[in-house]
Every structure is written in structure tokens, then in C-alpha cells.
Amino acid sequence: MFIKMRYIFIFVLLIQFQWGMGQTYQDSITNFQDHLNEEYKDAEKSPLTKKDLKKFKGHDFFPIDESFKIKAKFERTDDAVPFLMKTTTSRLPKYEVYGVATFEVDGKTLQLNIYQSHSLRATKAYENYLFLPFTDRTNGEETYNGGRFLDLEIPEGDFIVIDFNKAYNPYCAYNHNYSCPIPPKENDLPIKITAGIKL
């Protein structure tokens, strides 16, 4: 339940700050980061252990880089077969590949599967929520070894915006008591995504 609330919280931040009135792009990302830090400082919401919470001053982020805000071609998956996504525990939540995003970074054509949670889509307020777990070449050095997450909305057309500046860590990066999805191998990017949250 706490994991689900985590996704909901980040999803709300995504909607709230993606199109902030009168904000520059830099401002919108800075506000997103500030609110993420405030969540982690809140003992009622934070995944941090009591010991770590006392020391927590804020996350370390890569410099904001608008080139990592990517407009990707989005192809919906016809007749997607539900599957049980592996997690760091025995928990196996049901997902399906809602669509595939295709885009370019540094001249390389890349693809990522974008997933829909069966449990969240059953909730009216979050039926448009999509989940993007990924790994890249920064993992284990500059970022968490288990990869990072992004929260998205179902797009209206054939393109979807993937903003890696809003990539965040799973709760397991802070506390092994949580059960976190493991990014499927299909979502391992053969490049460094130097945007979003660091280790």
C-alpha cells in the first residue's frame, strides 16, 4: 500500500509541476526536486530509516538538462498480455506493456517499454497513470544500482514526453524493507542518462 501511495504522490507532482503557470522549465524541475525532498523529510511519508532521516538534508541531482526532456514516438501495444513484474521481494504485481516509446539520444535510436499497473488503473483518479522503470550506464556508479523510475500519463496522440530530469529512485534505494519493481531487461539503456536523481 505504501508503495502505491509513493507512485500516487510522484504522479501528482508530475501533473502539478509539468505545466506550471509562469514557470520556466528550470523552475518546474527545481520545484519538483524541492517537493521530493520535502516528502523525504516528512517522517510520515519518508522511506528513510529513523537514523537516516535525522541526517537527510536533500537529494543530489544531476544538473538540469532540457535535452533529456524527450518527445518520443509512442506506439500502443495491441492485445497486451498481462504479466507479473518481478520485485525485490516475493511480491508480483500485475502489469502490462501499454506501449513502446522510440526516441534518439546522441544519434542512437532507443526504445523503452512503458507499463500500466492493473491495480492503479482500477482507481478512477489514476486510470491514466503509466510507469516507466529503466536502467542505464550510470547505475552502480552515479545512480542507484537497481535503476530509476519515471511516472507518466497516457498521451492523447502518437507521442509521449519522457523527462529524465524527473527520474527518481525506488524506495529500496533507501530502505531494504520495501518491495520495489525490478526494471525489466528490455528497459536497459546502453547509454548514460545523466539527468534526474543521483545515488
Side-chain angles (χ1 to χ4, degrees):
M1 181 61 181
F2 201 32
I3 294 298
K4 183 187 292 187
M5 292 305 296
R6 160 67 171 175
Y7 294 156
I8 290 171
F9 180 84
I10 297 295
F11 183 59
V12 170
L13 288 184
L14 174 72
I15 303 306
Q16 186 174 358
F17 296 111
Q18 189 168 13
W19 304 110
M21 294 298 292
Q23 288 186 326
T24 65
Y25 175 72
Q26 295 275 330
D27 289 339
S28 69
I29 298 300
T30 298
N31 284 340
F32 180 87
Q33 293 173 352
D34 289 344
H35 279 73
L36 187 65
N37 283 334
E38 289 304 312
E39 178 202 4
Y40 276 72
K41 293 176 184 177
D42 186 338
E44 294 185 0
K45 299 176 180 178
S46 181
L48 298 172
T49 63
K50 291 182 179 180
K51 179 181 178 181
D52 288 339
L53 183 59
K54 292 179 180 179
K55 299 182 293 183
F56 182 73
K57 302 298 182 183
H59 288 99
D60 191 13
F61 298 93
F62 286 103
I64 298 170
D65 185 348
E66 196 166 356
S67 68
F68 279 107
K69 180 183 180 183
I70 294 166
K71 184 178 181 181
K73 184 178 180 181
F74 187 67
E75 184 176 357
R76 287 167 176 78
T77 304
D78 294 328
D79 303 320
V81 178
F83 71 99
L84 301 179
M85 187 175 288
K86 293 182 180 179
T87 69
T88 53
T89 65
S90 59
R91 186 177 66 93
L92 295 170
K94 185 178 291 187
Y95 282 85
E96 65 183 54
V97 178
Y98 188 87
V100 178
T102 304
F103 55 96
E104 286 192 4
V105 175
D106 294 334
K108 294 183 179 180
T109 300
L110 305 169
Q111 286 191 333
L112 286 171
N113 289 344
I114 299 178
Y115 303 92
Q116 186 177 50
S117 163
H118 278 221
S119 61
L120 281 185
R121 77 179 184 186
T123 306
K124 180 66 176 177
Y126 303 101
E127 61 187 2
N128 288 328
Y129 169 83
L130 296 176
F131 178 51
L132 175 51
F134 70 96
T135 52
D136 69 276
R137 294 299 178 264
T138 67
N139 299 152
E141 296 180 1
E142 299 163 282
T143 61
Y144 176 55
N145 189 55
R148 291 178 288 170
F149 297 166
L150 279 167
D151 297 321
L152 305 172
E153 280 190 288
I154 294 175
E156 294 183 0
D158 296 329
F159 291 89
I160 190 167
V161 174
I162 300 174
D163 193 343
F164 289 105
N165 290 286
K166 294 182 178 179
Y168 64 91
N169 289 328
Y171 271 6
C172 297
Y174 312 93
N175 191 328
H176 294 302
N177 290 328
Y178 289 94
S179 175
C180 303
I182 297 173
K185 62 180 181 180
E186 292 81 7
N187 275 16
D188 181 33
L189 294 173
I191 62 169
K192 285 190 172 187
I193 299 295
T194 53
I197 205 165
K198 288 187 176 182
L199 183 62

